[in-house]
Amino acid sequence: MVEQIADGVWNLGSQDFNFYALEQGGKLTLIDAGLRRDWGRMLRGLDEIGHGIEGIDAVLLTHAHVDHVGVAERTRVEAGARVYVHDEDEPFAAGRERMGRPSGSFSFGLFMLKAAAVMAVRSGPRYPVVRDLTALSDGETIDVPGRPIVHHTPGHTPGSCVFHLPDRGLLFSGDTLVTRSMVTGRRGPASGLNSDDDQAEASLAVVERLDGRTLLPGHGAPWRGSPAEAVAELRRARADR
Ligand SMILES: [Zn+2]
Ligand SMILES: [Zn+2]
């Protein structure tokens, strides 16, 4: 069953690895594109919400990690959709460069989970690279269904972005702010495996200034509350540790 999160918004992913369909005027924007193996899951999900693959006009990538770009190229080809990613992650999504190793310290107890996540990030694209990309820049309103506004939130990756729909009270936060940590498995607001922790921290200040009632992360359940409350919760959880 596809989870409907808000009017015209569904999670087509698995909640461990989210990606979303956003509907406006009978057309869809995908926010992220899951894992390569998610193609069948996506088609079933689209069918449930009354769409075919041709209903997808655009794919917006929050960043170019393997678990967010999976079916982007196939959707581009089969739906004739345009794929968007921030300038600074474009070389990774296009397969011209490899993402560096994420920072952070690793304890043995969580080794397996982390190792899997790190391997996924380190080993370069395990997705078909996207052959035609449109670059996003900070502050732009994207002319696709839903008309999200891009905010560049570097740190998780150089080109990480969040997508804001102030009129609907929604913020797609990618891995800039997740609600299930891929590092610890912990639930609640968290940050991910970052390419630059200091930059990621600074980007939380961008997130907390945005209005919204629902935050839709790359990993974990939707957060019902404002982005500022989610960031405050993350900071509280860190202080308690
Ligand atoms: Zn990521
Ligand atoms: Zn991710």
Side-chain angles (χ1 to χ4, degrees):
M1 268 303 271
V2 172
E3 180 194 6
Q4 179 159 19
I5 292 150
D7 210 21
V9 183
W10 298 267
N11 184 5
L12 299 177
S14 61
Q15 193 155 108
D16 283 339
F17 297 98
N18 300 326
F19 64 105
Y20 302 96
L22 166 66
E23 186 183 55
Q24 187 188 30
K27 293 301 238 172
L28 299 176
T29 296
L30 283 192
I31 311 283
D32 282 332
L35 293 154
R36 183 178 196 159
R37 64 170 190 233
D38 284 332
W39 182 254
R41 169 192 285 275
M42 180 176 80
L43 292 185
R44 288 191 299 277
L46 289 174
D47 190 54
E48 258 184 62
I49 65 173
H51 283 275
I53 184 73
E54 69 287 347
I56 301 174
D57 266 12
V59 182
L60 305 185
L61 302 175
T62 59
H63 62 297
H65 275 160
V66 62
D67 49 333
H68 297 257
V69 187
V71 298
E73 173 64 6
R74 195 162 173 191
T75 302
R76 185 185 74 77
V77 171
E78 297 201 19
R82 196 183 274 262
V83 183
Y84 297 76
V85 69
H86 188 272
D87 256 353
E88 292 188 44
D89 269 18
E90 192 269 347
F92 309 118
R96 289 197 309 279
E97 283 180 36
R98 289 191 161 206
M99 199 79 78
R101 186 186 183 286
S103 59
S105 55
F106 298 93
S107 70
F108 185 73
L110 296 159
F111 179 75
M112 287 313 287
L113 179 64
K114 288 171 178 176
V118 171
M119 281 311 293
V121 171
R122 275 184 89 174
S123 57
R126 290 234 187 100
Y127 48 80
V129 298
V130 186
R131 307 249 167 240
D132 187 5
L133 286 156
T134 303
L136 293 171
S137 46
D138 187 44
E140 173 186 356
T141 300
I142 318 161
D143 192 17
V144 299
R147 296 185 59 78
I149 301 167
V150 189
H151 294 275
H152 185 207
T153 53
H156 179 66
T157 65
S160 280
C161 286
V162 299
F163 299 117
H164 191 210
L165 285 86
D167 52 337
R168 297 204 204 178
L170 302 174
L171 182 68
F172 294 91
S173 62
D175 288 2
T176 295
L177 184 58
V178 298
T179 59
R180 179 173 185 276
S181 168
M182 294 310 280
V183 182
T184 63
R186 196 178 282 121
R187 288 173 200 277
S191 50
L193 284 166
N194 300 320
S195 62
D196 184 328
D197 283 332
D198 293 338
Q199 214 179 26
E201 193 58 37
S203 285
L204 291 178
V206 174
V207 171
E208 70 184 339
R209 281 198 297 272
L210 302 172
D211 294 329
R213 297 179 300 278
T214 306
L215 191 133
L216 301 100
H219 305 280
W223 164 270
R224 308 287 179 179
S226 72
E229 285 161 353
V231 172
E233 181 72 30
L234 185 160
R235 294 200 170 118
R236 263 199 302 279
R238 278 185 189 155
D240 287 349
R241 255 173 247 159

